[in-house]
Amino acid sequence: MPKPLAAFLPYGLAELPQVLERPRPLDRENLSAALTRYLTRIGAPQAALAAARSITHPESKVVVTGQQAGLLGGPSFTFYKAHTALKLAAEHHRQDRPVAAVFWVASQDHDTEEVRQVRMLDLQEKLHTLSLDLPAARPTGRIPFESFRKDCQEFVRGFGGRGEIEEKVIAALAQAENFAEAFARLLATFLGQRGLVVFDPMAPELARFFAKGIEQELGNPVASAEAINRTAKEMKQAGLEAGLGRPEGATNLFLEGRDGVRRLLRYHAGTFDDGLTRYSEADLLTILREDPARITPGAGLRPVLQDTVLPTAGFVVGPSEMKYVAELGGVYRLHGLEPPAVIRRLSAVVSEPPIKRILDRYQLDPWDFQARPEAAFLAAQERHSQSARAIGRHLEKIEQEFAQIKTVIAGLDATLSRPLKRAEFRVSDEIKRLARKSVQAELRRSQVIASQFERLKLHLAPGESQERAYPFLMYILKFGDAILRSLEQLPSASQAVLEV
């Protein structure tokens, strides 16, 4: 029998209170000051600045989450991650041990294909799509936003959302210097008021804090990759699928070349190379001193470097991320750290008023529908087909009863045969007419069901789950602060339905 994944994740939600009490020596003063400067520059509200300043407290802790810098705020689950971190931070905050929620903007990520497009469904159920021609293999924190600003702003204006929200979005986009910063400014605009501390590791105010951890990796360049592979092997032996796995000679570091392309560093016989150029350790240390944002961690190192800089107690992740985080215990130990409590984020589905009415009419659960839309449709069709068949059976019984009445009346009086035929004709005609109308009603009902289920699919299961298909900004533009207040009321974990 395979071991549960939790066997490789020593701390979870249940252990968060005890992890929060762990002492964590750290240069909180400089970190807090740098965060405050960065947040001020991106226009974060006072609640976010106050949360960043609270990190100066010697016992302070943070609950961290993060995501790629998605176009216009990224998929809805980005906001659900941030909400989970905010909720947990608020639940565990104390005056003598402040807890802040931090959102790590994965600005170092260079998979631009994943973040170049957004789809939004307006109140008239018209689909709007924006696709940007982002340069390949460039960290999003290095992609200038200027050439994309107008397209993004016009897309938001053309969506037809609430005017006051539209203006906030336009203003946030107007100030962004790079693609990742546009994402960070939107998060700060809509969740900074709840105290979310946005953290961009490529920001000039913050990049230098990672130099020490990167220097350690350069000094022993394949140790963390080997630690990941050992854990991956143990997971496979335990019957689990490993999310990571490092090829021979691969480090957990990437180097951004002079051409702007981010490439994996490999190590062999005392020399590094990125596929184009060979480097000594001294060469890379010089680059690190000159521009610390050019050497960045891969997925197998990023959470660990994050926690070398932040007093992390909780780490909020998605379901697929839990697999690879489970492989990082050995990497944490290499850096002298205990892993944080790893907590699964909230999953949510937004149920807009017309969609809620359809769900209620057919007694459907939005989560069940999202998981199996075709099965839900067939079940609803079957229920109404059964109703139509029941009508047919009752009409057939009426015909049978009338045939028995004919026999009784004919035996009573032969002179009643003519009026009996007239009655038989009228009854038979009415039964046929009712049967015809019931068939027509069933067809119309089937068409209505089909149309309504297409609407449900468009909102809840448009080729993938709603929280992956649509950005949360879409709902903010449609419903304003009301949807943000509804989000704030949701729990910090499990599944939830967000009604507007």
Side-chain angles (χ1 to χ4, degrees), residues 31-194:
L31 173 63
S32 175
L35 268 171
T36 302
R37 288 195 300 273
Y38 165 70
L39 291 170
T40 300
R41 178 166 65 81
I42 68 167
Q46 286 301 314
L49 296 173
R53 293 187 187 108
S54 75
I55 293 174
T56 59
H57 192 287
E59 300 301 322
S60 68
K61 298 294 189 302
V62 299
V63 177
V64 187
T65 191
Q67 186 61 31
Q68 291 166 291
L71 181 56
L72 296 182
S76 288
F77 70 75
T78 301
F79 274 65
Y80 304 151
K81 278 184 166 182
H83 165 76
T84 305
L86 283 163
K87 201 81 170 179
L88 289 170
E91 288 170 1
H92 294 280
H93 181 86
R94 294 197 319 240
Q95 288 297 112
D96 64 331
R97 191 208 56 217
V99 183
V102 174
F103 192 100
W104 177 282
V105 179
S107 57
Q108 301 158 334
D109 192 277
H110 61 279
D111 191 353
T112 53
E113 189 62 30
E114 287 195 359
V115 298
R116 59 180 290 272
Q117 181 171 291
V118 68
R119 293 182 294 165
M120 299 205 305
L121 191 66
D122 67 20
L123 286 167
Q124 285 71 48
E125 297 185 334
K126 177 185 175 184
L127 200 60
H128 301 245
T129 303
L130 174 65
S131 297
L132 301 180
D133 187 18
L134 298 181
R138 266 68 169 179
T140 57
R142 297 290 202 189
I143 299 174
F145 192 62
E146 182 60 36
S147 59
F148 306 109
R149 193 185 324 275
K150 184 179 178 182
D151 286 344
C152 290
Q153 290 177 328
E154 288 181 353
F155 179 77
V156 170
R157 288 194 178 100
F159 181 71
R162 290 176 177 250
E164 74 280 9
I165 302 298
E166 182 182 295
E167 289 310 310
K168 285 183 180 181
V169 176
I170 298 300
L173 298 177
Q175 302 299 320
E177 294 182 8
N178 60 64
F179 189 87
E181 189 180 306
F183 171 85
R185 283 178 176 270
L186 288 173
L187 275 186
T189 296
F190 294 108
L191 294 178
Q193 58 197 345
R194 288 177 60 187

Side-chain angles (χ1 to χ4, degrees), residues 305-355:
L305 280 194
Q306 156 195 292
D307 296 345
T308 64
V309 172
L310 293 166
T312 307
F315 184 25
V316 174
V317 300
S320 60
E321 291 170 305
M322 295 193 90
K323 288 182 181 178
Y324 88 78
V325 175
E327 294 180 60
L328 303 185
V331 186
Y332 273 99
R333 287 189 290 274
L334 281 172
H335 284 264
L337 296 173
E338 274 288 305
V342 180
I343 302 155
R344 184 166 172 167
R345 67 164 171 86
L346 169 78
S347 287
V349 59
V350 178
S351 177
E352 299 182 35
I355 297 308

Side-chain angles (χ1 to χ4, degrees), residues 350-365:
V350 178
S351 177
E352 299 182 35
I355 297 308
K356 183 178 186 305
R357 286 194 291 272
I358 296 173
L359 290 169
D360 290 346
R361 181 176 304 149
Y362 297 107
Q363 298 178 315
L364 291 171
D365 176 83

